[in-house]
């Protein structure tokens, strides 16, 4: 009775996996959790120091209105200028977020009306589906091609004309795929043709060894792109829930107006922490990117030794793998049984949308020796299942 039709159902696949992990621990198994993309790398010490110092500053204790976020937004737009060479106006083209996940959910509510269409991929970060439902939007899902990119021009024109936005995410979760500047240019052309907002969720940009493109920096991007950034992956500060949105002034203004009666922005001390993080030299971020690259290579090689060939992505903290042939298990059954018998937890692909059925995602959030031992356990499990 007291539940909107827009309210997403809670739990689902992740609740089932959480229960499976708890049951494995209760039986005495050591659980190696490769199912959640929570970085195990340490945050920058200067960012934590900035937060510690802010706690002793009484000026940080009150409500933080928009004017109080200006130093953070100036730091964010300056960071973007250093990265992409485009200077944005912090008062109009930037907004602080309580994490990019919150920002996306409220952005969809701010720029579209219930019944409008959101174009997105059929394999995507799970919160995208919930955010679309919470905003009352009809998600039109595009399949991924062999390059793990959608063919946008295959969207029926009648559907595209009902849409308000296209949602993309590269480097991608869960597939770890990259998108080229040429792909983003074509996506921007598509959005211009159908008068859509291009929303690009971009938390994984620092997990690539080579610079990744930003659609906001392309010609015409400032008029039609909102890009979301997070401190969770680049700076390993997931629990502090800090992010920012950059781009189209009209859409940013709509998001600001929606958020105004909902929150008073992030604690200023956490904003100062973010400002310190944004000033970290790129060389240090590249060292973390190399750690993720080493883990990707180590896990792919270890799985290959067990007879499971998994694609090696160029970026990211994930591996996206089709289940080995010959198993009489679907992806959820595989993940539940694997953690029950070995303690190794993976994410079932169906948690990432209908296109993920038959796949699993590895989150490489453990040191290389742990990943190798986990691959051995997985190999033993697969061989046992193949014999049954």
């Amino acid at each position: 009775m007291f539940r909107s039709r827009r309210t997403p159902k809670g739990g689902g696949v992740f609740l089932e996996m959480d229960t499976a992990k708890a049951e494995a621990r209760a039986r005495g198994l050591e659980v190696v959790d490769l199912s959640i993309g929570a970085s195990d790398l340490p945050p920058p010490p200067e960012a934590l120091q900035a937060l510690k110092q802010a706690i002793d500053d009484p000026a940080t204790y009150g409500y933080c209105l928009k004017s109080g976020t200006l130093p953070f937004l100036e730091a964010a737009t300056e960071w973007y200028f250093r990265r992409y060479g485009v200077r944005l106006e912090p008062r109009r083209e930037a907004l602080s977020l309580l994490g990019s996940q919150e920002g996306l959910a409220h952005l969809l509510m701010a720029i579209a009306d219930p019944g409008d269409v959101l174009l997105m991929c059929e394999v995507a970060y799970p919160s995208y589906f919930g955010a679309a439902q919470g905003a009352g939007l009809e998600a039109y899902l595009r399949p991924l091609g062999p390059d793990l990119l959608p063919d946008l021009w295959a969207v029926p024109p009648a559907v595209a004309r009902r849409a308000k936005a296209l949602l993309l995410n590269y480097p991608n979760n869960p597939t770890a795929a990259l998108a080229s500047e040429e792909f983003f240019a074509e996506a921007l052309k598509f959005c211009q043709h159908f008068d859509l907002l291009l929303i690009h969720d971009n938390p994984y940009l620092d997990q690539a060894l080579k610079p990744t493109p930003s659609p906001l920096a392309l010609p015409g991007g400032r008029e039609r792109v909102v890009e979301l950034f997070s401190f969770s992956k680049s700076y390993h500060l997931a629990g502090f829930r800090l992010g920012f949105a950059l781009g189209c002034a009209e859409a940013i203004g709509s998001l600001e107006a929606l958020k105004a009666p909902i929150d008073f922005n992030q604690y200023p001390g956490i904003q100062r922490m973010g400002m310190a993080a944004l000033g970290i030299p790129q060389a240090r971020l590249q060292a973390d990117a190399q750690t993720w690259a080493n883990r990707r290579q180590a896990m792919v090689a270890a799985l290959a030794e067990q007879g499971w060939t998994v694609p090696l992505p160029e970026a990211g903290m994930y591996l996206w793998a089709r289940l080995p042939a010959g198993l009489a298990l679907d992806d959820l059954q595989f993940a539940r049984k694997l953690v029950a018998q070995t303690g190794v937890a993976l994410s079932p692909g169906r948690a990432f949308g209908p296109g993920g059925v038959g796949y699993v995602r590895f989150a490489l959030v453990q040191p290389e020796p742990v990943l190798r031992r986990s691959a051995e356990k997985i190999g033993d499990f697969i061989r046992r299942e193949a014999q049954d």
Side-chain angles (χ1 to χ4, degrees):
M1 180 177 177
F2 299 110
R3 186 182 184 90
S4 168
R5 290 188 296 273
R6 299 191 309 275
T7 302
K9 295 180 180 179
V13 173
F14 284 112
L15 180 60
E16 289 192 50
M17 285 305 302
D18 192 54
T19 300
K21 286 182 283 187
E23 291 172 349
R25 292 188 184 97
R27 291 195 302 273
L29 278 177
E30 177 187 1
V31 172
V32 177
D33 196 347
L34 307 182
S35 67
I36 304 297
S39 173
D40 63 317
L41 301 184
E46 53 266 63
L48 298 180
Q49 184 61 32
L51 176 60
K52 292 175 184 176
Q53 292 174 348
I55 290 174
D56 292 326
D57 181 1
T60 67
Y61 299 165
Y63 292 124
C64 182
L65 302 179
K66 173 65 181 293
S67 60
T69 70
L70 186 58
F72 173 69
L73 298 179
E74 290 173 339
T77 52
E78 183 62 30
W79 167 87
Y80 189 83
F81 175 72
R82 294 196 305 269
R83 292 292 289 261
Y84 294 106
V86 175
R87 191 171 293 282
L88 301 168
E89 209 294 305
R91 291 173 177 81
R92 298 178 56 253
E93 298 176 301
L95 195 70
S96 65
L97 305 174
L98 306 182
S100 59
Q101 184 167 320
E102 170 271 319
L104 173 64
H106 284 140
L107 179 61
L108 295 181
M109 296 179 190
I111 58 97
D113 293 312
D116 288 339
V117 170
L118 172 67
L119 304 178
M120 55 181 285
C121 297
E122 68 172 5
V123 177
Y125 181 49
S127 75
Y128 295 177
F129 300 96
Q133 183 177 345
L137 305 185
E138 176 187 332
Y140 185 83
L141 307 181
R142 296 301 306 143
L144 300 180
D147 55 2
L148 300 177
L149 300 172
D151 180 359
L152 299 176
W153 292 103
V155 175
V159 174
R161 283 191 288 269
R162 292 181 51 225
K164 278 295 181 70
L166 166 67
L167 173 58
L168 297 172
N169 160 226
Y170 293 97
N172 184 258
N173 177 13
T175 68
L178 293 176
S180 66
E181 184 172 301
E182 290 74 19
F183 170 80
F184 280 126
E186 194 65 20
L188 188 54
K189 180 180 177 182
F190 174 84
C191 289
Q192 290 167 339
H193 182 79
F194 288 106
D195 194 20
L196 307 177
L197 181 70
L198 197 167
I199 303 171
H200 185 225
D201 189 22
N202 196 10
Y204 296 98
L205 74 166
D206 289 312
Q207 293 185 354
L209 292 174
K210 298 179 181 179
T212 57
S214 164
L216 177 57
L218 297 176
R222 290 175 74 167
E223 292 74 37
R224 197 167 292 278
V225 175
V226 170
E227 201 149 13
L228 306 174
F229 298 93
S230 168
F231 289 78
S232 298
K233 311 303 180 183
S234 296
Y235 307 107
H236 323 298
L237 294 166
F240 292 96
R241 309 313 305 141
L242 181 64
F244 53 92
L246 301 177
C248 171
E250 182 182 1
I252 292 289
S254 296
L255 177 56
E256 181 182 353
L258 181 83
K259 280 170 61 69
I262 295 175
D263 69 66
F264 276 103
N265 302 300
Q266 186 55 279
Y267 168 58
I270 291 179
Q271 293 181 50
R272 294 182 190 179
M273 177 194 71
M275 294 165 62
L278 290 172
I280 290 171
Q282 191 64 25
R284 283 172 54 188
L285 299 179
Q286 282 291 284
D288 287 348
Q290 188 62 58
T291 295
W292 297 118
N294 293 343
R295 290 183 181 184
R296 294 193 300 270
Q297 293 168 353
M299 192 60 168
V300 166
L303 291 168
E305 291 175 2
Q306 303 301 320
W308 191 356
T309 301
V310 173
L312 176 62
E314 296 182 59
M317 61 194 296
Y318 305 117
L319 300 180
W320 181 245
R322 188 185 293 273
L323 290 178
L327 293 179
L329 300 171
D330 64 28
D331 51 290
L332 179 57
Q333 292 168 337
F334 178 92
R336 285 181 58 89
K337 198 167 184 179
L338 177 69
V339 72
Q341 294 189 10
T342 70
V344 178
L346 305 178
S347 289
R350 68 187 58 211
F352 302 93
V357 173
Y359 289 78
V360 290
R361 189 196 72 176
F362 297 76
L364 305 177
V365 293
Q366 296 287 340
E368 290 178 43
V370 178
L371 295 176
R372 293 191 185 94
R373 289 196 298 271
S374 298
E376 293 173 1
K377 293 180 180 180
I378 293 170
D380 291 340
F381 170 78
I382 291 173
R383 284 185 287 274
R384 289 195 302 269
E385 284 298 313
Q387 293 172 359
D388 291 344

